[in-house]
Amino acid sequence: MRVQEARMGMKEKLKREKLFILSLFLGFFLVLLVFITLGNLFYKQAEDFSGLIAAATDLVVLKSIGISISMALVSTLIAFFFGVPLAYFLARKDFMGKSIIEGIVDVPLMIPHVVAGIALYGVFMRYGMIGAPLRKLGIVITDAYPGIVIAMLFMSLPYLVDTAREGFKKVDPRLENVARSLGASHWRTFREITFPLAFPSILSGAILSWGRAISEFSAVLILAYHPISAPILIYEKFTSFGLAASRPISVLLISICLVIFIALRVLQRRSK
Amino acid sequence: MIEVRDLYKDWKEFALNDINLEIEKGEYFVILGPTGAGKTLLLETIAGFYIPDRGEVWIEGDDVTILPPERRRVGFIYQDYSLFPHLNVEQNIEFGLKSRKKSASQDTNRKRVKEIMDWLSISHLANRYPATLSGGEQQKVAIARAIAIEPSILLLDEPLSALDRRTKDYLREELKRVKEEFGITMVHVTHDQTEALVLADRIAVMMKGRIMQVGTPHEIFNKPLNEELADFVGIENVLCGVVRNNVNGIAEIEVDTGGTIFAVSEYPGGAVKVFIRPEDIILSESRGVSSARNEMMGGITELHDIGPLTRVKMDIGLIALITKQSRESLGLRNGDEVCATFKATSVHVVSG
């Protein structure tokens, strides 16, 4: 193999890989867009390293990042608990109005986030349909942690449900049939066959959903401005003090998230 | 023993219509039919993956129509083996053992898995994952996994269809061995007639969601109930005629293409159809003396080679299948006049 490859000139090599080279070339523009934007942010910040240190040691900043990441995690866990069964059901059953349910699940992908925020506020505010009875029980949603979680959950839910549903669809129903014929209950079949085989997709959906939750701004802004989460703090600093004040928090948030997500992707590849 | 009574099921593009079957304990039963006949759906309904729209399924004297599959003790094997890809061979085989109510100890399970792997000579594969196995190996693992739970019935959906010729022949013998060793009732679905002929104690022919005929391989291949079935099992000679006389169980049939055919048949008279397998016809240069009751002279209109055989078409409406050697030693050519000879017992008569 190697010997044959060495015999090939550069020209032949390029010829054989033509389509790949074109794909790389075109795709590169997208990568460039992200890279330049973030690179510029990091580069500018590098000039003001002391500002970054200041942000990294500022408790308000750290707390806001902590809130964003942890509330997004809670939102993802809730999405997982309710979304995985829904995804399994949608993947396996055909029924009247299935498209309607699938459409409803995907609505958050289509509507402007600020609209979602306003709609959520209408329901969860003190006098809202759900907000009012909850308040009687002493639970406040708006401007509280539950508000952040609900806003995040609403916006990130489709990513987990859709990805998990596709994952379940890829599991051959005949594997489940065989498992049942071998004496396994429906529940055991799900636990030991279907779920593990769909797990890479579910994990992928969970990662997307978590990422989407961390980045949620508009809906959180309206439902729960406080306790202040990272995107809101960044926005606040930007409007009050300008770019130089908001940038170090942004760089910090991006860095932390990047490390977490790369680690998760590596983990995911291993699990496959 | 399996009984299927008045079964109906509609599912996607398939349908089962008024299925009635009785499969004896320890029998090797083959359901034979063309693609799309609904064979798999029938098997899956017996296994309990589907609940029938109407009708009943009984296993070992119990009505299991609405019993979930895990409580039927019915092993199932698919054409594509359906091994669990995330479990290794040993874990695949052990899967069913862990489902039992009174779960045996892990050691007992392991021992049982080892016994079965030895019996099927797949012990060396114990730690391999399905994706790394050949088709034949995968199917052996699937068989091992199914028989590990000691099912009373094994349902096989085209189990040999995806395999190469040699592996197919070998696994066919393994399936026979499974039936003999464990006394399991085998229900095997296939479109392959050779497979049905070699394996079956009895065959049911299924077409368009219906059971058309149930019988021994001999009955299915030599005594089809109608023209459609005759065509399906490769009986190319279908002649229309009228029974003119019947003496001591030998019917004298005047056929449309001219001449008279003698057949062992109880038909006293009336319009009939006559089936003769092309390989039951002997060709010779001229009339001779033999025990065969039928001799018909005819001209050759077509000679066509199929592998080691030659298909000879004659102007008297008969097709004969002979070996290429016979064709050469007789020096047959188009237009030659030959004598077709066949026994009265090779002629199957149904009402026309």
Side-chain angles (χ1 to χ4, degrees):
Chain A
M1 259 313 261
R2 280 287 150 83
V3 181
Q4 293 295 340
E5 249 173 58
R7 265 177 46 189
M8 258 197 295
M10 199 60 193
K11 240 183 176 174
E12 277 99 6
K13 266 188 197 165
L14 287 179
K15 235 178 176 178
R16 287 173 68 98
E17 307 278 305
K18 238 184 329 198
L19 189 61
F20 285 127
I21 291 164
L22 182 69
S23 312
L24 176 65
F25 183 74
L26 292 176
F28 191 64
F29 283 103
L30 289 181
V31 179
L32 213 61
L33 177 68
V34 178
F35 185 77
I36 288 179
T37 313
L38 294 185
N40 178 58
L41 195 73
F42 277 77
Y43 178 73
K44 286 277 159 58
Q45 195 56 55
E47 287 176 343
D48 176 24
F49 196 68
S50 60
L52 186 63
I53 298 297
T57 51
D58 183 344
L59 278 181
V60 176
V61 171
L62 290 181
K63 193 183 168 202
S64 75
I65 292 176
I67 287 173
S68 277
I69 290 176
S70 59
M71 289 304 115
L73 187 62
V74 173
S75 150
T76 303
L77 290 177
I78 295 172
F80 180 91
F81 186 76
F82 292 104
V84 168
L86 177 63
Y88 176 62
F89 185 79
L90 290 174
R92 280 288 180 265
K93 286 285 171 191
D94 277 319
F95 53 91
M96 254 197 16
K98 181 176 174 179
S99 320
I100 296 173
I101 292 192
E102 286 178 325
I104 290 174
V105 168
D106 283 342
V107 162
L109 292 176
M110 300 171 240
I111 58 172
H113 297 192
V114 64
V115 174
I118 291 166
L120 284 168
Y121 187 74
V123 173
F124 286 100
M125 65 178 186
R126 267 152 225 270
Y127 308 107
M129 213 172 80
I130 301 174
L134 282 180
R135 191 165 157 248
K136 276 191 189 145
L137 297 172
I139 302 167
V140 180
I141 304 287
T142 49
D143 281 326
Y145 288 117
I148 299 178
V149 172
I150 286 171
M152 286 175 164
L153 178 64
F154 188 86
M155 300 317 299
S156 62
L157 177 100
Y159 294 90
L160 192 139
V161 175
D162 287 353
T163 319
R165 185 191 58 209
E166 292 312 305
F168 281 127
K169 272 191 187 165
K170 270 190 261 166
V171 179
D172 189 345
R174 286 180 297 185
L175 290 178
E176 297 173 350
N177 286 348
V178 167
R180 298 289 294 276
S181 79
L182 291 168
S185 64
H186 197 171
W187 172 235
R188 184 182 168 221
T189 301
F190 179 80
R191 224 175 44 224
E192 294 187 24
I193 305 297
T194 319
F195 184 78
L197 289 173
F199 186 70
S201 295
I202 295 169
L203 184 61
S204 193
I207 292 172
L208 282 175
S209 158
W210 190 21
R212 188 66 202 78
I214 291 174
S215 62
E216 184 48 39
F217 170 66
S218 315
V220 175
L221 180 86
I222 292 170
L223 203 60
Y225 193 99
H226 291 283
I228 207 155
S229 49
I232 291 171
L233 184 67
I234 290 165
Y235 179 72
E236 198 180 77
K237 295 266 181 193
F238 178 70
T239 47
S240 312
F241 308 103
L243 196 58
S246 65
R247 194 165 46 211
I249 315 173
S250 310
V251 168
L252 213 55
L253 181 67
I254 294 169
S255 308
I256 293 172
C257 289
L258 209 57
V259 169
I260 295 175
F261 284 105
I262 289 173
L264 279 175
R265 287 294 178 193
V266 170
L267 215 80
Q268 189 190 9
R269 194 157 294 179
R270 290 248 175 94
S271 81
K272 272 184 188 173
Chain B
M1 177 166 160
I2 308 169
E3 275 176 86
V4 177
R5 296 179 191 164
D6 310 321
L7 191 84
Y8 288 83
K9 174 78 188 170
D10 266 319
W11 193 77
K12 293 192 176 170
E13 64 267 41
F14 300 103
L16 302 177
N17 269 312
D18 193 21
I19 305 279
N20 281 284
L21 282 177
E22 274 188 32
I23 299 166
E24 299 300 325
K25 197 167 177 60
E27 187 176 29
Y28 205 117
F29 193 87
V30 171
I31 299 172
L32 178 67
T35 316
K39 306 185 297 285
T40 300
L41 182 59
L42 174 57
L43 215 56
E44 289 182 326
T45 307
I46 294 173
F49 304 152
Y50 300 107
I51 291 177
D53 299 337
R54 267 161 65 193
E56 292 166 4
V57 179
W58 291 64
I59 291 175
E60 314 293 356
D62 295 321
D63 182 355
V64 299
T65 312
I66 54 166
L67 206 65
E70 62 265 30
R71 290 176 50 199
R72 296 192 182 196
R73 270 189 71 210
V74 168
F76 203 103
I77 291 175
Y78 277 111
Q79 177 178 354
D80 61 0
Y81 331 120
S82 295
L83 298 178
F84 306 132
H86 58 305
L87 303 179
N88 68 23
V89 167
E90 196 176 1
Q91 292 164 331
N92 261 282
I93 300 171
E94 204 185 352
F95 184 88
L97 294 174
K98 287 185 184 166
S99 303
R100 290 176 170 183
K101 264 192 188 152
K102 283 178 205 156
S103 194
S105 72
Q106 210 177 1
D107 286 347
T108 329
N109 284 350
R110 283 274 152 80
K111 224 182 107 194
R112 172 105 185 106
V113 170
K114 211 185 152 329
E115 272 169 27
I116 291 165
M117 286 198 296
D118 284 342
W119 192 75
L120 281 161
S121 334
I122 48 171
S123 301
H124 59 292
L125 304 174
N127 295 316
R128 299 259 296 271
Y129 281 85
T132 69
L133 303 177
S134 72
E137 288 169 336
Q138 289 194 49
Q139 197 56 298
K140 275 195 189 175
V141 176
I143 294 170
R145 183 178 62 178
I147 60 178
I149 60 163
E150 299 170 62
S152 59
I153 292 160
L154 197 53
L155 305 176
L156 305 118
D157 182 18
E158 301 267 3
L160 307 175
S161 299
L163 301 169
D164 64 83
R165 169 115 247 129
R166 275 183 59 191
T167 315
K168 198 183 270 196
D169 292 347
Y170 168 73
L171 272 174
R172 220 156 50 190
E173 295 310 307
E174 290 291 275
L175 288 176
K176 276 189 188 167
R177 212 156 68 91
V178 167
K179 182 207 145 187
E180 275 148 29
E181 174 88 14
F182 301 101
I184 302 175
T185 308
M186 312 277 270
V187 185
H188 177 135
V189 155
T190 183
H191 65 272
D192 184 328
Q193 301 189 6
T194 318
E195 214 168 286
L197 194 61
V198 174
L199 286 170
D201 295 324
R202 280 196 308 151
I203 298 172
V205 181
M206 191 168 174
M207 285 170 164
K208 297 180 208 121
R210 289 176 184 280
I211 300 291
M212 310 292 282
Q213 184 176 0
V214 181
T216 62
H218 179 79
E219 284 165 348
I220 295 294
F221 287 99
N222 296 288
K223 297 180 175 171
L225 291 178
N226 59 42
E227 199 173 339
E228 198 182 7
L229 286 163
D231 183 56
F232 178 67
V233 297
I235 297 182
E236 291 183 274
N237 295 305
V238 178
L239 304 175
C240 297
V242 179
V243 177
R244 290 297 177 205
N245 198 2
N246 195 322
V247 183
N248 297 331
I250 304 290
E252 232 181 282
I253 304 160
E254 197 182 311
V255 289
D256 288 1
T257 48
T260 300
I261 287 176
F262 294 94
V264 177
S265 166
E266 295 300 328
Y267 275 92
V272 290
K273 281 207 170 87
V274 170
F275 302 146
I276 310 152
R277 294 199 74 86
E279 58 268 34
D280 286 342
I281 294 177
I282 295 165
L283 296 183
S284 52
E285 283 168 326
S286 59
R287 288 178 191 273
V289 181
S290 80
S291 64
R293 296 288 291 124
N294 293 293
E295 276 188 337
M296 298 174 97
M297 294 300 291
I300 296 174
T301 58
E302 206 182 296
L303 288 160
H304 184 62
D305 288 342
I306 312 163
L309 301 174
T310 300
R311 193 165 162 271
V312 185
K313 212 170 167 178
M314 287 183 290
D315 56 8
I316 48 171
L318 289 180
I319 292 166
L321 209 54
I322 59 173
T323 60
K324 239 189 243 171
Q325 282 98 323
S326 307
R327 176 203 167 175
E328 275 157 21
S329 64
L330 285 168
L332 297 183
R333 282 207 187 82
N334 266 341
D336 284 359
E337 194 77 3
V338 287
C339 180
T341 309
F342 49 94
K343 297 163 76 168
T345 48
S346 301
V347 183
H348 178 55
V349 183
V350 300
S351 76

